[in-house]
Each structure stands twice: as C-alpha cells, then as structure tokens.
Amino acid sequence: MPRERLDEPGLGLTGTTWTRVSPKLVWTELVTTVLIGVVVTAGCVLLGVVNGGFGRPAGVVWTSVAIVIGVAALITVVLTPRRVRSIGYALRDDDLVFRRGLMWQRFTAVPYGRMQLVDVARGPLDRALGMSELKFVTAAAATNVRIPGIPAADADELRDRLVELAESRRAGL
C-alpha cells in the first residue's frame, strides 16, 4: 500500500509515515454516490410530476429539490477522488492514528490498550474489488473509527497485528 511522510504542524504528527487506502475505494464511493443521487433525484422528480408538474407550486418545489440534489451529487462525484486520497492511517508506538477529510480534517488516535475488538467487514462491492473495511470498538462508547478501502490481505494482517498490540498493552492494565 502507498506510504507517504506528512508533517502536520501543531498536531504532534511530525515525521509520521501514513499508509493510504486503496485507490479502488474511489469506485466504491462513486457507485454509492451515483446510485443514491439517481434514486433520490428520480424520487423528487416523480413527486414533482405527481403534484402537478411545472404548472403547480408543489411540482416546481419538488423539481427544484431534484435539481439541488443532482448538483450536490455531481459535486460529491467530482470531489470523491481527492477525498479518498486524504484517507490514511499510521501505526505509532502506542496508538493507531487515522486521518480523513479535505476541508474539515479529522485525526483520530486510538490507543492500542483501549482496543477491545477489531472487525473486518467486506461488502459485495468491496469483495469484487478485493478490499475490506476495518472497524474498531474501544472502551469509549462514542468511538466510531472505521478505515475503508484496505486491500483484503493487508486487512487481515493489520487486524492480527492490532489484536496482538492490544493484548500486549492491556496486559499492563
């Protein structure tokens, strides 16, 4: 998997080597966005036609909503490749750090000693593309860390490594 060094000043992540997710994740995200966009847009157009089409106010409203949803889906499709490239993770001495986001970047550190479960999930499209998603359950109820787009072989290996690290860190608790 591609690795890169990225310095994030002020976050304590200077010199961290990040592992990016698979570029195939772009296809999964695009298919999902296009399907949802088409279904919701078609539903709004249908509601517009049922409510009198362009000749009545309710029809105009639903048609306008359909246009807004279609434009939003198009913008999402355009930004998806860059958004997927922003996703990455790094294994540090005491924790796993996960990053994502373009405009609103999010960095999440999950201490190995707090990991209770590492789950590997593979949906139908992920299996077809040879990818997996790792999900972490920690001692904190609000923690929802998932890393999508990891190659299947790497996901199994990473899961085993994280479980090993979690067990060794919990031994000292």
Side-chain angles (χ1 to χ4, degrees):
M1 292 205 328
R3 295 184 185 276
E4 66 176 336
R5 281 188 90 68
L6 176 69
D7 291 335
E8 293 293 337
L11 293 175
L13 299 174
T14 306
T16 301
T17 301
W18 295 94
T19 303
R20 286 188 176 168
V21 297
S22 172
K24 294 178 186 177
L25 180 61
V26 171
W27 292 107
T28 303
E29 297 290 322
L30 288 175
V31 166
T32 303
T33 300
V34 168
L35 282 177
I36 290 172
V38 165
V39 168
V40 173
T41 302
C44 290
V45 168
L46 181 62
L47 284 171
V49 170
V50 168
N51 285 311
F54 295 112
R56 301 187 73 198
V60 172
V61 168
W62 282 111
T63 305
S64 300
V65 169
I67 291 170
V68 168
I69 290 172
V71 169
L74 185 62
I75 290 170
T76 303
V77 165
V78 169
L79 292 177
T80 294
R82 177 63 187 107
R83 187 174 51 81
V84 167
R85 281 194 306 272
S86 75
I87 300 172
Y89 65 92
L91 298 175
R92 300 192 306 177
D93 292 337
D94 296 321
D95 56 14
L96 176 135
V97 180
F98 174 65
R99 70 169 187 181
R100 74 178 326 145
L102 291 174
M103 291 179 64
W104 290 273
Q105 293 182 338
R106 182 175 181 177
F107 294 85
T108 306
V110 181
Y112 299 129
R114 301 271 180 176
M115 288 184 192
Q116 295 178 338
L117 174 74
V118 181
D119 184 29
V120 176
R122 294 181 180 110
L125 193 53
D126 288 336
R127 282 194 307 273
L129 296 172
M131 295 185 308
S132 299
E133 175 181 80
L134 254 65
K135 296 180 185 178
F136 304 96
V137 175
T138 66
T143 304
N144 182 17
V145 177
R146 62 179 197 84
I147 305 175
I150 299 176
D154 294 344
D156 293 335
E157 189 177 304
L158 181 59
R159 179 202 56 218
D160 294 342
R161 175 77 177 127
L162 291 172
V163 167
E164 177 185 311
L165 287 167
E167 288 175 355
S168 71
R169 298 303 196 278
R170 274 196 304 265
L173 294 178

